[in-house]
Structures are given as C-alpha cells and as structure tokens.
Amino acid sequence: MTVETMTPHTDLLSALGIEALNRGAFCGEWLPTKGPEVVSIDPSTGLEIGRVTTATAEDYERVVSVTVEAFKEWRTWPAPRRGEIVRLVAEELRKHKDELGRLVTLEMGKILSEGLGEVQEMIDMADFSVGLSRQLYGLSMHSERAEHRMYEQWHPLGPVGIISAFNFPVAVWSWNAFVAAVCGDSMIWKPSEKTPLTAVAVTHIAGRVLAENDAPPIFNLLVGDRHQVGEPLTHDKRMPLVSATGSTNMGRAVGQAVAKRLGRSLLELGGNNAIVVMDDADLDLALRAVLFGAVGTAGQRCTSTRRLFLQKGIAQEMKDRLVAAYGSISIGDPMDPAILMGPLVDKRAVDDMMGALDKVREQGGRVLYGGNAKSDRGGFFVEPTLVEATPDMPITCDETFAPILYLFEFETLDEAIERHNAVPQGLSSAIFTLNMRSAERFLAAGGSDCGIANVNIGTSGAEIGGAFGGEKETGGGREAGSDSWKAYMRRQTCTLNYGDELPLAQGVEFKV
Ligand code: UN1
C-alpha cells in the first residue's frame, strides 16, 4: 500500500512507539519476526494504520522458553513486590491514557469515550491487583488430629496464555495480566489479529516498566493466527492455564485442546444478553440502558443487549420510544465527541450482520428500524437495527456481533424468565422493575441463569470489582475482580504434625 492509502495519525502512533512496520513477538526484547504481515485497518475509513510481522515457529519457541524461565524467577518475588511492578505499569497507563484510548478507537472503532473508558478499565484492574497482592489469602482449618495444624496456601501456577478478542483489545488483557502478575505468573498474550497495534503499544509500556525495574520478562507477546500461535499455545504443556475470550466456537476448540492435556482453561465466550422490562419499570432508565447496551460499541461487546422482553402494558410505548431514539443516534467518526456509534470492525462483520438480517426476514421477523449497511461512506458503518421477533425464530438464539436488537412481548414474569433462559449462552442479564418481588425473583435461583444479573442497570458496562463471566456456552470462566485470582494460582493443602505421635485420620489403626 502507498502512503496515501494510510490513515495519517503519525503523532499518536509515534507517541506509543508504533511504526509503519512493527514486530509481533516480545519476550523482554522484540524478536526479528519474519512471519506474514498482519495489516491493521482503521474501520471508520478502511485505510491502513500500520503493520505487524507475525511470529514464526522459531519465535514461538523462543518466547515460550523465555516465559518459562521468567516464571522461575518471578514466583520467588514477594507478592507485594510484584504488586509494586503492576502499580508502576498503572502509572504509565495513566500517563498514556489519552493516546492509548485514541489508538483503541482508531484501531477498533469504538467511540473515544469508550476507548478512554477501556484504558480506565486497565487502570482500575491494576489498582485492584496491587491491593490483591497483599490479600492472596488461604484458609486454615482445625485438624481432627491432636498437635496437628492444617491450612492451605496459594502458589503461583506458571506461564499463562492469554487469548483476547478485538472488541476489548486492551482491557481484557489487563483483567488477566495484572491478576496473573501479582499471583506470580508469567504470560504470553495472543491478541486479535484485528487489533495488533494496541497490543504492541501496551507491550512497549509494560515491557519498559519491567526492564527499568530489573523484573523478569513476564509480559510477553505473540502476534499470529490460530495456526501460528493459538493452537501451539493451547497444546503446550508448559502453559498450565490458557485464558481465552472470544467466540463460543473458538472457546470450544481451546477448551477441548487444553482439557486433552489436563491443563486449565478459563473461558469467557459468547453472550446473548437480554433485558426484561416490566410494566412497573422506570421507562426513562430502561430506555437509556437499552440504548447503551444495544447501540453502544456498535453492539460489539460480549455483554451487548441483544434481546429485549417487554411486558404487554408498556410494549408499544417502549417500541415507539426506541424507534424515535434510534433515529437520533449519530453515526460516524468515533473520534468525534458528538458521535454515539462508530463502525463495525471490518467488512466481514457487516456481511455477518446483513446475513443475520436475511435470516430474520426468512424466519418471519419484522425490521422496525434500520437494517442496512451505510454505503454512503468509506469504512464499515451500519444502521442500528430493531427487529420485532418471536421466540421460535432460531436466529435469536445466535450471537451476531452487531447492533441488532430483538424485541419480544410477554405477559407474566415467569414467562419472561423462561424465554430469557432459553438460549445456549449465559453471560449477562437485566430486569427493569420497581417491584421488589419481581427484582428478587429475577435474581433468585429460579431466575436468570447468567453469570451477571442486574436490576435497573443494563447488561453491559460491568465494573471490574466483580467476577466477570457466564454459564452454559459462555464457558463458565470468571475473570477480573472478586476471587477470580484463584484461577491463576495452585492451591496447596498443608498438614503439619508438631507432636510425637502419628495418629491417622478417620481413626484408622495401623500398628506394626
Ligand atoms: C467483552 O465484551 O468481552 O461489562 C468485555 C462490559 C465491559 C467488558 C466487556 N466491562 O461491558
């Protein structure tokens, strides 16, 4: 490609160490990668931003062996000292928040406020992990045997593989990376090939902090496709944990490969998230939550709202208000603060959305608003789309990574909950109601079957302090806050005898 076809963002890119051609393998040093180049495209223009050379088999071997060696040293660092390194990374992220947020917007296409929010999510995750570095608690138990002490402790697990998706190109890495780092693990990041530049930029920042503080190279990178990086990582016995965020198909392949060697996988996969709006809801709140959930990030969050259940009494009013609100959504350059919806990530995403809408029509759905690609400009823009649907339409059980919202009507809460749960995915869910009984029933054991269940809050935009993930085809993994850290460590149960007898548990006698 010639220079004219490239997006001119030279100052932004150079502030983050990004060049026209970048290397895609890092393990304390950038390796002279010779694999095929991946081209990073600005989805709002379709123009090239920069390139990255991918990892060869030789680069793969080198990065894994350095990561294994780095683990051996890093696990001996006291956890609070490891936390200090993460704190220093967070300081750098604060300094570069604006540039990195812009790069996320440039390369992924989410609006700038969300690009900056994503970097804030990394900073929050780092702060959380710093505190966690002094709280990796184990339990102690009372032994049934006299003069015995029993307790459990948590040790670093080993090198961790982190496979992340294009839609949260940096935050999801940080959910894993900062927790894994304070837990004493080293790691290798396989970013999406659609967003390699943000990964290179973050690796520059994290790698610099490690080098300046004489820490071993724990934050490593391998850019490449499934064959070059993904599959080798999942089959590699040197990686006791592979954490993967992305589609259910990808996660199924990762889970099976890792399980085959009895490794651990942590999967955060597709969602098909719904909001239930009851007749007694505060409709102003519900409307705003639906708009952010369904139109925000152009419907490309795993937590995006894809289904809306409207109780009969408010259904028509909500539909009218939604159609009016969809008509006022500004679509365009995601860097422009007046814009609410940027492009989809690439041409294929636009085709997938149009393919899903063909199925909608075949299956008897009615497009209430939108439904088209915007061909009046470059880039991968679409209209946010509202569809009147019925529960027997198979397409409503699929996750289409695009701003399509399926609208259903219902009469009773029981009916809404049953239909809400009748999809293969189980990530995020919400109910809008001012009735405490309805709210509690949605959250009770017979209510939402998702990993995340909210009341008077939409399905997307979770805080980092909670454990993030979901059930069924969402994969069952939990990342980020709460006690998710336990996935990144190994538990050891220790029993210590300080007496001069050897009593056996369960009263067993074995006298020689
Ligand atoms: C994702 O889409 O993979 O809850 C993650 C949210 C964000 C994370 C989404 N904090 O919407």
Side-chain angles (χ1 to χ4, degrees):
M1 277 194 189
T2 62
V3 179
E4 291 81 54
T5 61
M6 293 177 64
T7 315
H9 287 278
T10 332
D11 291 350
L12 169 62
L13 298 175
S14 64
L16 292 166
I18 301 293
E19 292 163 15
L21 183 61
N22 303 273
R23 295 173 177 189
F26 180 82
C27 53
E29 56 178 327
W30 291 96
L31 302 182
T33 35
K34 297 259 165 16
E37 292 169 10
V38 288
V39 181
S40 170
I41 300 288
D42 171 355
S44 59
T45 58
L47 301 180
E48 174 175 343
I49 310 167
R51 294 179 178 222
V52 180
T53 47
T54 52
T56 59
E58 203 183 315
D59 299 323
Y60 175 86
E61 252 328 291
R62 171 113 179 100
V63 171
V64 173
S65 56
V66 169
T67 308
V68 168
E69 287 310 305
F71 170 64
K72 290 182 189 159
E73 185 191 337
W74 185 240
R75 70 181 169 191
T76 68
W77 284 42
R81 260 190 84 202
R82 301 194 292 246
E84 172 61 8
I85 297 293
V86 172
R87 191 186 69 77
L88 294 169
V89 174
E91 288 207 339
E92 288 305 300
L93 290 173
R94 284 182 165 88
K95 276 187 219 150
H96 294 287
K97 178 176 170 182
D98 187 62
E99 291 141 9
L100 199 52
R102 282 175 188 279
L103 182 61
V104 168
T105 289
L106 180 65
E107 192 176 41
M108 185 277 163
K110 60 176 71 176
I111 59 170
L112 185 56
S113 171
E114 292 188 56
L116 295 169
E118 188 168 346
V119 182
Q120 187 57 47
E121 189 158 344
M122 299 177 86
I123 295 168
D124 295 345
M125 216 37 238
D127 291 355
F128 174 88
S129 304
V130 175
L132 184 64
S133 71
R134 291 181 185 270
Q135 299 176 77
L136 302 169
Y137 302 136
L139 298 171
S140 67
M141 302 87 191
H142 285 263
S143 171
E144 66 188 54
R145 289 171 279 187
E147 300 186 313
H148 280 54
R149 187 162 72 82
M150 185 155 70
Y151 68 100
E152 62 187 21
Q153 55 182 349
W154 294 86
H155 286 310
L157 182 66
V160 176
I162 303 172
I163 298 175
S164 65
F166 78 88
N167 65 332
F168 273 79
V170 291
V172 169
W173 172 79
S174 76
W175 293 356
N176 289 278
F178 295 153
V179 172
V182 300
C183 288
D185 300 334
S186 56
M187 66 210 75
I188 299 172
W189 182 10
K190 181 208 173 299
S192 163
E193 296 144 84
K194 294 172 192 167
T195 50
L197 296 181
T198 47
V200 168
V202 166
T203 303
H204 273 303
I205 292 172
R208 213 162 44 229
V209 172
L210 293 174
E212 282 165 5
N213 292 280
D214 294 321
I218 58 158
F219 294 127
N220 299 326
L221 177 72
L222 280 170
V223 178
D225 67 13
R226 181 156 72 89
H227 304 292
Q228 292 166 281
V229 183
E231 282 164 11
L233 267 185
T234 54
H235 288 99
D236 200 323
K237 286 194 171 150
R238 292 168 294 182
M239 311 299 297
L241 171 66
V242 178
S243 171
T245 305
S247 70
T248 294
N249 282 343
M250 179 279 298
R252 194 172 276 122
V254 169
Q256 285 172 1
V258 176
K260 206 162 172 193
R261 59 176 171 90
L262 300 182
R264 279 192 213 171
S265 56
L266 198 171
L267 304 176
E268 197 261 284
L269 312 174
N272 192 351
N273 318 294
I275 294 182
V276 175
V277 184
M278 303 295 291
D279 283 343
D280 57 48
D282 177 333
L283 296 189
D284 295 339
L285 281 194
L287 185 73
R288 284 172 53 198
V290 172
L291 289 172
F292 179 62
V295 177
T297 334
Q300 298 173 107
R301 291 190 187 217
C302 57
T303 51
S304 288
T305 310
R306 313 212 175 278
R307 298 177 298 142
L308 181 62
F309 291 96
L310 300 169
Q311 201 167 16
K312 280 258 161 34
I314 48 85
Q316 195 53 51
E317 181 185 349
M318 272 297 276
K319 282 182 197 174
D320 294 344
R321 289 181 72 176
L322 275 168
V323 169
Y326 268 55
S328 71
I329 299 284
S330 48
I331 303 168
D333 178 3
M335 291 282 187
D336 176 346
I339 292 296
L340 283 181
M341 195 177 112
L344 291 182
V345 70
D346 58 14
K347 168 83 170 53
R348 192 170 152 198
V350 177
D351 293 345
D352 286 351
M353 175 173 172
M354 295 307 131
L357 289 170
D358 287 343
K359 289 194 184 148
V360 160
R361 293 182 189 102
E362 277 161 38
Q363 294 171 13
R366 194 165 79 88
V367 174
L368 273 190
Y369 185 89
N372 302 301
K374 284 187 142 325
S375 45
D376 56 332
R377 60 187 98 191
F380 313 115
F381 292 92
V382 294
E383 293 170 346
T385 298
L386 292 169
V387 171
E388 249 177 351
T390 51
D392 56 352
M393 289 169 51
I395 186 71
T396 64
C397 292
D398 292 348
E399 178 191 50
T400 303
F401 233 55
I404 303 177
L405 181 65
Y406 300 116
L407 310 179
F408 307 92
E409 292 188 21
F410 70 93
E411 282 177 24
T412 65
L413 179 57
D414 283 344
E415 182 194 344
I417 289 174
E418 194 186 319
R419 292 218 230 130
H420 172 278
N421 291 346
V423 290
Q425 312 83 352
L427 180 55
S428 186
S429 59
I431 189 168
F432 278 76
T433 180
L434 298 178
N435 180 315
M436 167 266 203
R437 286 184 178 157
S438 303
E440 291 289 351
R441 278 181 55 210
F442 189 74
L443 302 178
S448 161
D449 63 359
C450 291
I452 297 170
N454 296 333
V455 176
N456 297 330
I457 291 177
T459 58
S460 63
E463 301 175 20
I464 59 98
F468 185 95
E471 305 304 332
K472 303 194 288 184
E473 286 191 2
T474 303
R478 292 296 186 278
E479 294 169 289
S482 184
D483 64 353
S484 305
W485 61 270
K486 290 178 176 170
Y488 303 82
M489 301 198 86
R490 65 184 170 89
R491 184 197 310 242
Q492 187 169 64
T493 302
C494 307
T495 311
L496 196 146
N497 176 3
Y498 58 91
D500 52 11
E501 306 255 341
L502 193 72
L504 299 177
Q506 296 90 41
V508 171
E509 296 281 350
F510 198 83
K511 287 206 172 108
V512 189

